[in-house]
């Protein structure tokens, strides 16, 4: 093939690609909802012909992208406060929820064999409970034979919405944790090994005997990792599954949450799973490209109406109908 | 006759005219060439200045907020309200210690391999070994990271490190350097070992090249007066090539200081100075790689400041290397 032909072919390819992307919805942000966003997008493309170009680059990076107006929507696992939304002219709404679980690697321990409470989990992540046969763990698990192995704490090395939700929970249940570490996307961990991403934490726990980590529930099930049950705020032992996640989600007081600012940590209720994460969408109230903006809204609208089953298949919790109605009315604030 | 002589005169003139024209065009192309090369060289300087300036601009808020404290603070607490507390001591420590251990392992191994290849190795296996070492240099750093994460780290943590810990448990200083409190797949030592493997090809390749510049007559003379191989290497080859060897070692050190992806995978990313090399740690480049994307405000500025520090650190290492080389050359010349 001649060089000039190659160049021509290259231009043709570039042109066809840019045409194909021209009508796609563009978004960027959180990695946590990426699997469900892309699953919805596949199904949505079949019915509407409109695709989604979503860069799962992390919540913080997603917020920067939408601020720079390089994408039509940003996705963040951390709800943004009113001041931030008003400064940037953003509308915020929740898209889907999920549970966070503690995962362990101990010989002979399968998913649900152990139970932890918030205070013990906080002490582990503070480095105060150092071995698996510590009294704090032993009293919660009188029937399990716990080894005298040191606990190897695994946590995120990158800033993360999962860390934000996890540390928010630990701060809610342990005054000590709140005082010495606090809640945030990236915090000053007193102990532990840092791994990148949910997948990194899962892989590390899988590799390391005597380790404990925290991941989104889907990562635990997909990797066959042993999760622990939790004692919730009502003092009941609960298992991480769709029904306990839904129970926790149902306790969220969305109706009174301005701009949907709500963190589902340590939800009340006997059946509620204590560690939850909600992922949010940020869009401009006055978009510079109203056509792209309404195309994105159509996709979200379709996902709310038709996506619940797909979300549950991937262990996400769809938003309750009442919240969806609330979101749809909030969309009136976005200029068409 | 006259016509012939005139003709030849004309021809001569024509020739010299031609030559002048050709020479002129040569001068032109030479000027253009020199201009182009000069522009390329200056562009690099400009680029370097641009990078330094943008690093300083980006790091300015952190410099203003933390000042000199940044260099001596071990805490890294980006979440603290109202102002985060951020210090570079832990990443600087991790960078220096991991590079130091890597050099400690890679320099003797690399030079040993080079000596074997140039002095002792049978011809038939010289090429395969050289090829294998050059291939090591071609492996992308992310592959080293994955291999370290899935294979080397678990192997060291399960089979090697516990016995080292057990062996030194009663020896005062060693038992804190090789402390067993936090032995896991991801640690400062594991990262250093990966680094050593990564920089080994650089040291070996350069050493092999400079060792083969030793004039055979020198070595033959030494052998002729009854020197052993060790004596030849120690008294002829190494003194003759030390400038090149030091250069290669410094190049490798530069790479070790800045290596990012493989280290981020296996160092454990913990901002703690423990004194134990089996504990997780972090380096400047690993800290930037894992936190930059999700950072904002002062946190991001502090990460840029870390980058600037790495720049300065590498510059100091290279400048020291230059200085040492200059002194070596002077002494060799005297």
């Amino acid at each position: 093939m001649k060089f000039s032909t190659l160049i021509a072919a290259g231009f043709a390819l570039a042109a066809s690609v840019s045409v194909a992307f021209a009508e796609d919805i563009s978004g960027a942000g959180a990695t946590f909802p990426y699997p469900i966003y892309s699953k919805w997008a596949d199904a949505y493309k079949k019915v509407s012909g409109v695709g989604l170009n979503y860069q799962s680059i992390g919540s913080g990076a997603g917020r920067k992208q939408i601020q720079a107006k390089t994408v039509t929507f940003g996705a963040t696992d951390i709800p943004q406060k009113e001041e931030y939304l008003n400064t940037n002219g953003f509308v915020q709404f929740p898209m889907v929820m999920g549970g966070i679980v503690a995962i362990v690697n101990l010989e002979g321990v399968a998913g649900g064999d152990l139970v932890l409470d918030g205070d013990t989990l906080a002490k582990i992540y503070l480095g105060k409970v150092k071995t698996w046969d510590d009294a704090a763990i032993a009293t919660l698990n009188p029937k399990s034979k716990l080894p005298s192995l040191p606990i190897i704490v695994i946590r995120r090395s990158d800033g993360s919405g999962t860390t934000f939700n996890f540390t928010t929970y630990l701060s809610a249940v342990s005054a000590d944790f709140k005082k010495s570490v606090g809640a945030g996307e990236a915090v000053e961990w007193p102990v532990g090994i840092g791994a990148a991403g949910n997948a990194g934490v899962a892989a590390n726990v899988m590799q390391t005997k005597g380790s404990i980590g925290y991941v989104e529930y889907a990562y635990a099930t997909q990797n066959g990792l042993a999760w622990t049950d939790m004692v919730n705020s009502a003092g009941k032992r609960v298992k991480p599954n769709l029904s306990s996640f839904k129970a926790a989600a149902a306790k969220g007081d969305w109706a009174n949450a301005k701009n949907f600012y709500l963190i589902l940590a340590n939800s009340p209720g006997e059946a509620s799973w204590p560690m939850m994460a909600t992922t949010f969408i940020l869009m401009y109230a006055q978009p510079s490209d109203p056509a792209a903006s309404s195309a994105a809204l159509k996709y979200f609208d379709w996902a709310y109406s038709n996506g619940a089953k797909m979300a549950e298949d991937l262990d996400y919790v769809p938003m309750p109908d009442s919240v969806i109605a609330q979101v749809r009315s909030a969309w009136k604030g976005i200029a068409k | 006759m006259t016509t012939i002589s005139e003709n030849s005169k004309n021809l001569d003139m024509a020739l010299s005219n031609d030559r002048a024209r050709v020479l002129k065009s040569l001068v032109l192309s030479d000027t253009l060439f020199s201009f182009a090369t000069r522009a390329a060289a200056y562009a690099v300087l400009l680029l370097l200045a641009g990078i330094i300036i943008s690093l300083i601009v980006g790091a300015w808020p952190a410099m203003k907020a933390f000042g000199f404290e940044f260099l001596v603070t071990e805490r890294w607490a980006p979440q603290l309200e109202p102002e985060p507390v951020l210090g570079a001591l832990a990443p600087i420590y991790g960078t220096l210690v991991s590079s130091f251990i890597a050099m400690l392992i890679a320099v003797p191994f690399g030079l040993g391999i080079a000596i074997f290849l140039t002095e002792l190795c049978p011809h038939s296996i010289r090429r395969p070994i050289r090829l294998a070492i050059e291939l090591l240099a071609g492996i992308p750093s992310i592959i080293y990271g994955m291999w370290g994460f899935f294979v080397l780290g678990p192997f060291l943590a399960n089979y090697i490190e516990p016995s080292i810990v057990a062996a030194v448990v009663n020896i005062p200083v060693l038992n804190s350097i090789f402390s067993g409190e936090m032995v896991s797949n991801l640690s400062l030592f594991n990262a250093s070992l990966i680094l050593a493997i990564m920089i080994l090809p650089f040291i070996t390749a350069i050493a092999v090249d400079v060792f083969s510049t030793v004039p055979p007559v020198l070595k033959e003379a030494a052998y002729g007066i009854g020197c052993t191989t060790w004596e030849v290497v120690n008294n002829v080859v190494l003194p003759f090539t030390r400038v090149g060897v030091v250069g290669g070692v410094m190049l490798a050190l530069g790479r070790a200081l800045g290596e990012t992806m493989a280290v981020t995978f296996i160092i454990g990313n913990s901002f703690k100075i423990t004194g134990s090399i089996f504990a997780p740690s972090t380096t400047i480049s690993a800290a930037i790689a894992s936190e930059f994307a999700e950072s904002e405000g002062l946190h991001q500025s502090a990460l840029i400041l870390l980058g600037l520090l790495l720049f300065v650190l590498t510059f100091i290492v290279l400048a020291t290397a230059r200085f040492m080389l200059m002194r070596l050359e002077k002494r060799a010349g005297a």
Side-chain angles (χ1 to χ4, degrees), chain B residues 12-331:
Chain B
D12 269 0
M13 268 177 68
L15 272 177
S16 76
N17 271 350
D18 241 17
R19 185 177 296 159
R21 211 180 308 133
V22 167
L23 280 177
K24 212 173 170 190
S25 78
L26 280 180
V27 166
L28 186 69
S29 74
D30 231 30
T31 322
L32 273 178
F33 180 66
S34 121
F35 182 76
T37 50
R38 184 178 310 194
Y42 288 170
V44 171
L45 277 183
L46 214 64
L47 203 64
L48 190 71
I51 291 173
I52 294 176
I53 290 169
S54 51
L55 276 179
I56 292 175
V57 169
W60 187 248
M63 284 195 225
K64 224 166 51 184
F66 304 118
F68 183 73
E69 285 287 297
F70 190 68
L71 292 176
V72 292
T73 307
E74 189 192 334
R75 279 190 84 183
W76 187 266
Q79 87 288 5
L80 277 194
E81 298 284 344
E83 285 289 293
V85 174
L86 300 164
L89 197 60
I92 291 176
Y93 165 85
T95 306
L96 293 179
V97 173
S98 64
S99 297
F100 176 73
I101 298 172
M103 299 307 284
L104 215 58
I105 299 167
V107 169
F109 265 92
L111 294 186
I113 295 169
I115 290 166
F116 175 74
L117 284 177
T118 50
E119 303 298 324
L120 301 163
C121 179
H123 249 292
S124 55
I125 59 167
R126 184 177 293 180
R127 274 187 63 86
I129 294 181
R130 264 206 88 160
L131 203 68
I133 289 165
E134 274 159 21
L135 279 177
L136 272 187
I139 297 175
S141 122
I142 190 88
I143 308 284
Y144 277 110
M146 276 156 52
W147 179 71
F149 183 84
F150 285 112
V151 182
L152 185 71
F155 173 76
L156 289 171
N158 292 332
Y159 301 105
I160 309 291
E161 285 165 11
S163 40
I164 299 178
V165 168
V168 299
V169 75
N170 291 320
I171 308 171
V173 177
L174 290 183
N175 66 5
S176 60
I177 295 178
F178 301 103
S179 157
E181 224 173 272
M182 274 292 290
V183 170
S184 80
N185 303 347
L186 308 181
S187 70
L188 186 54
F189 176 74
N190 296 2
S192 309
L193 196 60
I194 286 282
L195 271 182
I197 298 170
M198 293 180 75
I199 60 179
L200 190 67
F202 288 84
I203 297 175
T204 307
I206 292 174
V208 165
D209 284 345
V210 296
F211 286 168
S212 34
T213 62
V214 179
V217 64
L218 283 184
K219 287 192 276 183
E220 281 156 17
Y223 281 121
I225 58 169
C227 287
T228 61
T229 312
W230 162 249
E231 284 168 331
V232 171
V233 167
N234 199 28
N235 300 319
V236 178
V237 176
L238 285 180
F240 191 86
T241 57
R242 62 186 159 198
V243 171
V245 169
V246 171
V249 167
M250 286 300 164
L251 196 70
L253 180 58
R255 166 124 204 224
L257 286 172
E259 174 51 44
T260 308
M261 222 46 235
V263 173
T264 309
F265 258 60
I266 41 192
I267 199 160
N269 302 305
S270 161
F271 287 83
K272 293 271 162 220
I273 299 175
T274 58
S276 165
I277 63 169
F278 289 162
S281 178
T282 190
T283 68
I284 293 176
S285 49
I288 297 171
S290 47
E291 295 199 359
F292 194 79
E294 292 287 292
S295 62
E296 275 166 329
L298 209 51
H299 183 197
Q300 188 164 68
S301 176
L303 289 170
I304 297 172
L305 183 51
L306 273 184
L308 187 64
L309 283 177
L310 182 62
F311 205 149
V312 173
L313 204 64
T314 320
F315 180 79
I316 291 174
V317 167
L318 290 179
T320 318
R322 276 283 141 145
F323 183 68
M324 278 166 61
L325 286 175
M326 262 162 55
R327 287 195 47 180
L328 276 173
E329 273 165 357
K330 237 184 222 161
R331 218 185 306 152

